[in-house]
């Protein structure tokens, strides 16, 4: 904290602790900050819910300047309002599959806090200032979830994430390199996936490497999906299908290399109101396999080359093989590309301006 408010070097919240900042009948949930200048261990419960008759969920931050251990529960629900937000922001974040490997979930025992103990996650002999969390703990969080790291966010090899959604769960955001100094990557095993079950997903990092991403969901027979934003000043590499069932997709990086993209809603309607696809490479190329979108269209901008290895299929029209088609604005006019053909910067700019 700032100002004259005293701060602790170590903060420990055990599993028997319950912190409440709930609104009662009317009003927003309150704000709860659990902080330490060195290490925070949180194993308890926090509730900051909106009022029964109206009001939004509150804001909860659980932070340790150097180290954070989190294996608790947070309730940010709102019966008649908007979900609240949970922020976790250590220096590095490592997400693992086996709870017994999530060393920071149990490193602080209820008998006390063990000094400056940290873990050597990468095996280089140097203790890392890293928040390690099990997949189960992460997937079980609701509200708007923000995982924010000064440096890297890493999902362990062989691990996929599948978030649940009962129809009221909030968005999910991973922000690496939050200070903008010395870089910070978001990375995961490219053979694995992130499934949000209709929740919006945002990932930011100095570089981004992911496997498949699926934000689709079906309620009462009606398909829908969350939006996806992948934002980086470096390479954005997606080695799996991106599927949103109507959610918008935005990828913005120095260069983009992705596989199949499908934002179509697949609804039983005259026009597929699928999500908009926006791909912007500020310094280099846009490489993509295939794109299927709704009538809102596809916007592609590349500093150097755009290259497609498959077909583009806005649902308002279909062109026969071997052509690929892409709509560069919201009109129904289609521009045709030959498959596997690259375009220069001037050619791309000319196409976009049409």
């Amino acid at each position: 904290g700032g100002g004259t408010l005293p701060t602790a070097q170590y903060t420990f919240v055990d599993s028997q602790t319950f912190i409440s900042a709930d609104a009662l009948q009317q009003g927003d949930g309150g704000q709860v900050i659990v902080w330490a200048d060195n290490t925070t261990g949180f194993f308890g419960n926090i509730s900051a819910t909106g009022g029964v008759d109206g009001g939004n969920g509150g804001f909860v931050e659980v932070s340790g300047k150097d180290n954070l251990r989190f294996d608790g529960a947070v309730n940010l629900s709102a019966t008649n309002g908007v979900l609240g937000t949970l922020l976790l922001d250590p220096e590095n974040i490592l997400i693992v599959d086996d709870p017994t490997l999530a060393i920071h979930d149990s490193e602080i025992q209820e008998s006390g806090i063990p000094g400056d103990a940290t873990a050597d996650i990468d095996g280089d002999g140097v203790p890392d200032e890293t928040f390690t969390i099990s997949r189960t703990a992460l997937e079980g969080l609701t509200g708007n979830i923000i995982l924010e790291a000064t440096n890297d966010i890493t999902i362990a090899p062989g691990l996929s994430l599948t978030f649940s959604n009962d129809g009221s769960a909030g968005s999910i955001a991973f922000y690496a390199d939050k200070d903008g100094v010395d870089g910070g990557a978001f990375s995961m095993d490219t053979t694995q996936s992130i499934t949000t079950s209709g929740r919006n997903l945002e990932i930011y990092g100095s570089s981004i490497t992911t496997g498949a991403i699926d934000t689709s969901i079906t309620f009462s027979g009606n398909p829908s999906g969350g939006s996806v934003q992948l934002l980086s000043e470096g390479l954005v590499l997606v080695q799996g299908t991106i599927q949103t069932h109507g959610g918008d997709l935005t990828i913005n990086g120095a260069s983009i290399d992705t596989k199949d993209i499908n934002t179509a809603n697949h609804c039983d309607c005259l026009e597929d109101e699928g999500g908009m696809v926006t791909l912007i490479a500020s310094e280099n190329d846009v490489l993509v396999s295939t794109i299927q979108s709704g009538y809102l269209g596809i916007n592609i901008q590349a500093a150097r080359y755009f290259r497609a290895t498959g077909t583009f299929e806005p649902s308002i029209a279909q062109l026969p093989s071997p052509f690929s088609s892409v709509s560069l604005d919201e009109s129904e006019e289609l521009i045709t590309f030959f498959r596997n053909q690259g375009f220069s910067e001037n050619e791309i700019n000319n196409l976009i301006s049409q």
Side-chain angles (χ1 to χ4, degrees), residues 168-184:
S168 62
S171 61
I172 302 160
F174 298 92
Y175 298 143
D177 190 30
K178 74 169 184 178
D179 63 353
V181 178
D182 296 328

Side-chain angles (χ1 to χ4, degrees), residues 160-165 172 188 192-201 203 210-218 223-228 230 238 240-249 260 262-264 266:
S160 293
L161 298 178
T162 301
F163 295 89
S164 62
N165 185 2
I172 302 160
M188 65 178 293
Q192 302 300 306
S193 63
I194 299 174
T195 301
T196 70
S197 303
R199 302 167 70 172
N200 295 338
L201 174 67
I203 300 175
T210 79
I213 296 173
D214 187 351
T215 63
S216 63
I217 195 170
T218 300
S224 62
S227 64
V228 176
L230 306 178
V238 183
T241 298
I242 300 176
Q243 179 168 288
T244 70
H245 263 194
D248 291 339
L249 168 66
D260 298 327
N262 188 346
T263 64
H266 303 291

Side-chain angles (χ1 to χ4, degrees), residues 119-172:
D120 180 15
I121 300 297
D122 54 15
D124 62 0
V126 179
D128 304 299
E129 295 172 339
T130 297
F131 167 39
T132 306
I133 185 172
S134 64
R135 175 179 65 177
T136 301
L138 178 59
E139 293 174 340
L141 296 172
T142 58
N144 298 303
I145 309 304
I146 301 174
L147 274 69
E148 189 173 77
T150 304
N151 296 325
D152 300 327
I153 298 177
T154 305
I155 302 175
L159 178 61
S160 293
L161 298 178
T162 301
F163 295 89
S164 62
N165 185 2
D166 61 1
S168 62
S171 61
I172 302 160

